[in-house]
């Protein structure tokens, strides 16, 4: 869907109905439906799905934007320049289909393990050591190199062609700039932080040590994430899960509190109890503090209302007149009844004074990196208490 400005009003239409020249309203957390150029506003856009760029790209007036990328922070007004088959994403899809028709005759994803493809008559495997073992492939010297990379805290991806190991790739991601601050804030709220990840133990430990994460649950297959959440709950703990992918949805549903990243998949967003508009780990403790603060105010207001009315109503009704001569004139009694509403309203306004976590200074000057695993990020981390 897309939001088009027509006659000065935002109107939601199907993406297929967007025409070149239409003025689009792109809110924070929304996907940009078509290619275009910014005519008003400034923000940062996550273009990783299309370009592979890991850092959000700043967008100002006259900056081009790519369809299917995700707006993260600010609101943009974008003039559509390419729609339908002319968009960059559509052209990429066409190129991929052409390449697949020419080269890859079949492809199979193996969740939690890797992938298999037939390319130019050769059977290629890319994935974990578990995949290679299952396929009966001897790693030889590559096994030692794989262990070295894993020992350095990197994710080791093995490559085999026609049953023979031919290479190993070492991948490493940096945590987001606000991840450590998010973990500290959760600890300040007496919440233990756990990382739930499919990465190897060494990689997970490296990130956990950097961020101060309490528990690491590594090498977890996507289908087993909900079972790990259930294990935490069976120990008498309340578990919150933060996730962004399709494979996080069962764990989000199992957790006592499911928190989805706004830029995540639709399945994760539909399953979660809370949806964060940004992919910022610090928003997790912010959301929890706002929730707890709101619940606290609700309880306080209920106590104020019950206590005030328990005293004011009998006085207004003249219950204490025989014993104490205490009675209110009707107009005073009517005004006093508004006091309960006034107390509740004033107390609710005090919620604006709630102290919320703030990003560290360096996080304000260095662009955030969409990293994994982060804490407490779903599919990679969960918080429980």
């Amino acid at each position: 869907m897309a939001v088009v400005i027509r006659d000065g009003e935002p109107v939601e239409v199907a993406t297929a109905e967007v025409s070149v020249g239409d003025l689009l309203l792109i809110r924070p957390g929304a996907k940009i439906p078509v290619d275009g150029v910014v005519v008003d506003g400034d923000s940062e856009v996550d273009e990783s799905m299309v370009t592979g760029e890991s850092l959000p790209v700043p967008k100002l007036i006259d900056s081009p934007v790519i369809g299917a990328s995700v707006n993260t922070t600010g609101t943009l007004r974008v003039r559509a320049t390419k729609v339908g088959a002319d968009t960059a994403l559509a052209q990429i899809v066409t190129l991929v289909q052409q390449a697949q028709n020419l080269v890859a005759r079949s492809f199979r994803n193996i969740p939690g393990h890797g992938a298999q493809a037939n390319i130019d008559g050769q059977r290629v495997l890319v994935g974990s050591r578990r995949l290679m073992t299952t396929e009966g492939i001897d790693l030889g010297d590559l096994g030692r190199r794989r262990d070295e990379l894993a020992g350095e805290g990197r994710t080791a991806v093995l490559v085999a062609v026609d049953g023979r190991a031919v290479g190993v790739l070492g991948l490493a991601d940096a945590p987001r700039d606000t991840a450590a601050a998010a973990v500290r804030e959760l600890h300040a709220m007496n919440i233990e932080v756990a990382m739930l990840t499919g990465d190897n133990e060494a990689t997970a430990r490296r990130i956990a040590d950097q961020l101060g994460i309490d528990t690491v649950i590594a090498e977890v297959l996507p289908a087993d994430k909900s079972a790990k959440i259930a294990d935490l709950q069976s120990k008498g703990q309340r578990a919150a899960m933060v996730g962004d992918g399709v494979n996080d949805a069962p764990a989000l549903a199992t957790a006592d509190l499911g928190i989805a990243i706004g830029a995540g998949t639709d399945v994760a967003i539909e399953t979660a109890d809370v949806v964060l508009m940004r992919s910022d780990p610090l928003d997790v403790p912010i959301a929890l503090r706002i929730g707890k603060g709101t619940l606290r105010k609700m309880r306080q207001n209920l106590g104020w209302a019950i206590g005030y009315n328990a005293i004011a109503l009998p006085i207004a009704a003249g219950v204490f007149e025989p014993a104490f001569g205490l009675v209110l004139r009707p107009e005073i009694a009517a005004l006093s009844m508004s006091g309960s509403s006034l107390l509740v309203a004033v107390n609710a306004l005090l919620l604006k004074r709630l102290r919320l976590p703030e990003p560290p200074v360096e996080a304000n000057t260095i662009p955030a990196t969409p990293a994994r695993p982060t804490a407490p990020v779903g599919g990679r981390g969960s918080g429980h208490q």
Side-chain angles (χ1 to χ4, degrees), residues 308-309 312-313 315-317 327-342:
Y308 184 94
N309 290 323
L313 280 175
I315 296 176
V327 67
L328 293 177
R329 290 164 52 190
E331 62 272 20
I332 301 299
L335 287 174
S336 69
M337 293 309 298
S338 300
S340 173
S341 299
L342 180 63

Side-chain angles (χ1 to χ4, degrees), residues 56-349:
V57 180
K59 297 294 180 181
L60 304 172
I61 294 176
D62 293 333
S63 295
V65 294
I66 305 173
S69 56
V70 179
N71 184 28
T72 60
T73 54
T75 298
L76 298 174
R77 289 176 184 261
V78 172
R79 185 75 64 185
T81 57
K82 293 181 180 180
V83 300
D86 294 330
T87 63
L89 180 61
Q91 293 176 9
I92 291 172
V93 171
T94 300
L95 291 173
V96 171
Q97 289 174 342
Q98 292 173 351
Q100 289 176 334
N101 291 335
L102 292 173
V103 181
R105 284 157 182 80
S106 69
F107 178 89
R108 181 168 65 96
N109 178 42
I110 308 173
H113 295 274
Q116 171 195 318
N118 293 325
I119 303 176
D120 290 338
Q122 295 181 305
R123 183 170 179 266
V124 179
L125 291 171
V126 179
S128 65
R129 180 169 57 184
R130 189 180 301 175
L131 173 63
M132 301 300 162
T133 301
T134 302
E135 296 291 332
I137 295 174
D138 181 17
L139 299 181
D141 292 338
L142 287 178
R144 177 180 54 79
R145 181 57 181 149
R146 181 264 173 206
D147 293 339
E148 291 175 356
L149 291 172
E152 295 170 1
R154 299 177 181 271
T155 299
V157 179
L158 295 157
V159 181
V161 177
D162 289 337
R164 183 173 62 89
V166 297
V168 58
L169 307 174
L171 308 178
D173 290 323
R176 289 182 181 271
D177 297 318
T178 57
V183 174
R184 288 195 298 270
E185 290 292 338
L186 290 169
H187 286 161
M189 299 168 66
N190 295 320
I191 296 176
E192 183 183 348
V193 181
M195 178 189 296
L196 184 62
T197 176
D199 285 332
N200 64 71
E201 184 78 17
T203 298
R205 287 288 177 190
R206 178 176 66 85
I207 299 295
D209 291 342
Q210 290 179 16
L211 304 180
I213 293 175
D214 305 292
T215 304
V216 173
I217 306 174
E219 300 183 21
V220 180
L221 294 176
D224 296 334
K225 290 181 179 180
S226 58
K228 295 298 182 181
I229 295 293
D231 287 343
L232 295 174
Q233 293 170 324
S234 67
K235 299 175 183 178
Q237 297 170 321
R238 289 180 296 167
M241 172 74 182
V242 186
D244 59 358
V246 173
N247 55 22
D248 294 326
L252 289 170
T254 302
D256 298 286
L257 175 64
I259 303 176
I261 301 297
T265 62
D266 292 340
V267 174
I269 291 174
E270 290 294 330
T271 305
D273 303 298
V274 176
V275 178
L276 303 179
M277 295 306 297
R278 303 181 301 172
S279 300
D280 187 345
L282 196 60
D283 284 349
V284 175
I286 288 176
L288 292 177
R289 285 196 182 276
I290 291 175
K292 289 186 175 182
T294 302
L295 185 59
R296 182 169 60 251
K297 287 299 178 184
M298 290 171 60
R299 291 169 175 165
Q300 290 174 355
N301 286 342
L302 183 61
W304 275 112
I306 292 175
Y308 184 94
N309 290 323
I311 296 173
L313 280 175
I315 296 176
V319 173
F320 298 128
E321 181 181 10
F324 306 103
L326 186 60
V327 67
L328 293 177
R329 290 164 52 190
E331 62 272 20
I332 301 299
L335 287 174
S336 69
M337 293 309 298
S338 300
S340 173
S341 299
L342 180 63
L343 283 173
V344 168
V346 171
N347 190 43
L349 288 174

